[in-house]
């Protein structure tokens, strides 16, 4: 009996497209694999040139995969959001009372990392929760082996109705929904949340709801009513404060939460078992604040993390953090993490293709940031404004008559880099 051939780190990526997170199978795959990618080894140009043509091609493929699968970095903004979401999900899951559990609303610009931040925290919770319960669903009916789903992730339908929203939730479990009436769908959702041991229900792209439409108002009432089922509701959207989702909500200064009145319509379907008010924490995942020394430091740390993840043969320490590069990258992306990642990712691929093997402003000037609009709703703020390339060009020095004090926000910090931040 011989040992199995070693598996190349690219095997799983090349083996097929991973399932989507909005199914139970896809969510479980995400929980298992979200930190399993092995980046390409760091090789010098001489080491790469000494390889066979086949090994060169494989290594380049691995480098490309590394550049498009950069690990999620902790930023001050993401840390604040993650702390609140984690506190709510874990705290609620330990409650022994039947009181309505408070939820969380997370908002911010499109491509800012809201979904990835929330899903990473929720996946970590699920892994821990399953291990603590020995992988057993505590709510399984006697004599059955009900599917255990501590976390459910669902994308709000682009044109949401109460029926389509219920169907999207039930699709996560692969449940049969054809021919069911709305009351039947609502009851099946309630039974599924309870029977599958759901502790957190994540509804992404919630700002697709338009509060001037009666159907959308009914959807929001329906979603809030699910909180009666002892589920932590996590709503993710681009501009929740400006979307109308806080309609009729009042700010409770003592509890520091938004308070909603009891749901108006869903009680007719038997879901509204109490008249308890629904409470939400509202938290923003913003951009880097580069008007303070702390914000600048956080932005530079993020760039250093991106730089560390690159596998370009001619890269050097400080390639993204030195000189005028930080200011350039800020102008190109407005500090939006997703835009910054796309610019660096495409730039790295161009650097490989051209043989340049490093990033500078000249190369990045050739990159147009193009966003994938497939499945995204521009009207809901899911696609951010991309700064015009011309706005990132270095401006000519002002004439003597026009001369003003220069902006030193992104000056090279020199001593910081030399002393390692000391």
């Amino acid at each position: 009996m011989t040992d199995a051939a070693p598996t190349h780190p690219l095997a799983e990526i090349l083996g097929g497209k991973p399932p989507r997170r909005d199914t139970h199978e896809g969510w479980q795959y995400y929980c298992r694999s979200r930190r399993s990618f092995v980046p390409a080894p760091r090789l010098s140009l001489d080491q790469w040139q000494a390889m066979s043509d086949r090994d060169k091609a494989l290594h380049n493929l691995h480098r490309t995969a590394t550049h498009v699968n950069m690990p999620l970095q902790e930023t001050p903004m993401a840390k604040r959001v993650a702390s609140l979401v984690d506190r709510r999900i874990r705290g609620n899951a330990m409650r022994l009372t039947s009181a309505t559990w408070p939820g969380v609303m997370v908002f911010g610009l499109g491509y800012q990392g809201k979904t990835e931040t929330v899903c990473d925290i929720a996946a970590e919770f699920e892994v821990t929760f399953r291990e603590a319960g020995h992988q057993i669903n505590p709510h399984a009916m006697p004599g059955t082996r009900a599917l255990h789903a501590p976390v459910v992730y669902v994308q709000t339908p682009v044109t949401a109705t109460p029926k389509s929203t219920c169907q999207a939730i039930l699709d996560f479990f692969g449940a049969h929904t054809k021919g069911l009436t709305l009351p039947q769908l609502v009851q099946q959702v309630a039974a599924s949340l309870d029977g599958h041991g759901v502790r957190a229900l994540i509804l992404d792209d919630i700002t697709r709801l338009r509060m001037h439409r009666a159907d959308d108002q009914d959807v929001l009432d329906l979603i809030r009513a699910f909180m009666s089922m002892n589920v932590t509701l996590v709503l993710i959207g681009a501009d929740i404060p400006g979307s109308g989702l806080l309609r009729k909500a009042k700010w409770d200064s003592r509890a520091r939460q938004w308070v909603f009145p009891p749901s108006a319509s869903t009680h007719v379907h038997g879901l509204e078992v109490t008249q308890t008010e629904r409470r939400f924490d509202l938290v923003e995942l913003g951009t880097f604040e580069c008007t303070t020394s702390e914000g600048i430091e956080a932005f530079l740390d993020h760039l250093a993390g991106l730089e560390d993840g690159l596998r370009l043969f001619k890269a050097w320490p400080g390639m993204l953090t030195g000189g005028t590069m930080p200011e350039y990258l800020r102008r190109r992306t407005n500090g939006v993490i997703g835009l910054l990642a796309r610019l660096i990712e495409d730039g790295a691929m161009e650097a490989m293709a051209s043989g340049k093997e490093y990033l500078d402003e000249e190369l990045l000037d050739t990159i147009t940031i193009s966003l994938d609009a497939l499945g995204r709703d521009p009207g809901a703020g899911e696609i951010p404004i991309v700064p015009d390339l011309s706005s990132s060009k270095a401006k000519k020095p002002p004439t003597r008559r026009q001369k003003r004090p220069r902006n030193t926000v992104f000056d090279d910090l020199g001593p910081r880099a030399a002393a390692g931040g000391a």
Side-chain angles (χ1 to χ4, degrees), residues 53-251:
D53 289 344
R54 176 183 178 277
D55 287 343
K56 284 180 182 178
L58 279 175
H59 185 68
N60 280 347
L61 195 61
H62 200 175
R63 287 201 294 157
T64 299
T66 300
H67 295 152
V68 301
N69 290 285
M70 292 283 197
L72 185 68
Q73 292 190 59
E74 184 178 80
T75 65
M77 309 86 73
K79 185 176 181 180
R80 183 171 61 252
V81 170
S83 176
L84 175 60
V85 172
D86 182 62
R87 190 164 65 243
R88 281 288 166 265
I89 293 178
R90 290 182 186 272
N92 286 343
M94 298 296 108
R95 291 181 187 274
L96 299 177
T97 64
S98 59
T100 299
W101 294 358
V104 183
M105 292 184 175
V106 180
F107 74 100
L109 293 173
Y111 281 82
Q112 189 58 29
K114 302 181 297 296
T115 298
E116 294 306 316
T117 299
V118 170
C119 285
D120 187 64
I121 289 299
E124 188 65 26
F125 160 77
E126 169 149 341
V127 170
T128 304
F129 192 77
R130 282 178 174 276
E131 290 176 351
H134 305 289
Q135 308 297 327
I136 297 173
N137 180 3
H139 287 262
M141 295 178 62
T144 69
R145 296 181 62 185
L147 192 71
H148 193 194
V151 176
V152 171
Y153 171 82
V154 177
Q155 284 191 306
T156 306
V158 174
T159 304
T161 64
K163 287 190 71 172
S164 68
T165 302
C166 285
Q167 288 170 334
I169 295 172
L170 293 172
D171 284 347
F172 181 90
F173 304 106
H176 172 76
T177 61
K178 188 176 181 180
L180 297 182
T181 64
L182 178 58
Q184 290 172 327
L185 287 169
V186 171
Q187 288 302 315
Q188 188 165 337
V189 168
S192 294
L193 294 178
D194 181 53
H196 297 305
V198 178
R199 288 294 183 268
L201 172 60
I202 302 170
L203 287 170
D204 204 353
D205 301 322
I206 194 65
T207 43
R208 290 177 177 178
L209 298 181
R210 306 290 195 270
M211 290 300 99
H212 64 278
R213 297 195 299 233
D215 272 347
D216 293 37
Q217 295 175 26
D218 288 342
V219 169
L220 186 58
D221 280 341
L222 176 68
I223 291 170
R224 295 206 310 265
F226 290 149
M227 297 169 77
S228 298
M229 303 305 300
N230 289 350
V231 171
T232 301
L233 202 58
V234 183
L235 308 182
I236 308 172
D239 181 20
I240 288 178
S243 67
L245 291 175
L246 297 177
R247 184 177 61 92
K248 297 183 179 180
K250 296 181 179 179
W251 174 251

Side-chain angles (χ1 to χ4, degrees), residues 403-420:
K403 192 170 184 179
R404 304 175 187 172
R406 57 188 293 276
N407 188 340
T408 62
V409 169
F410 276 105
D411 276 0
D412 184 6
L413 299 184
R416 170 193 175 275

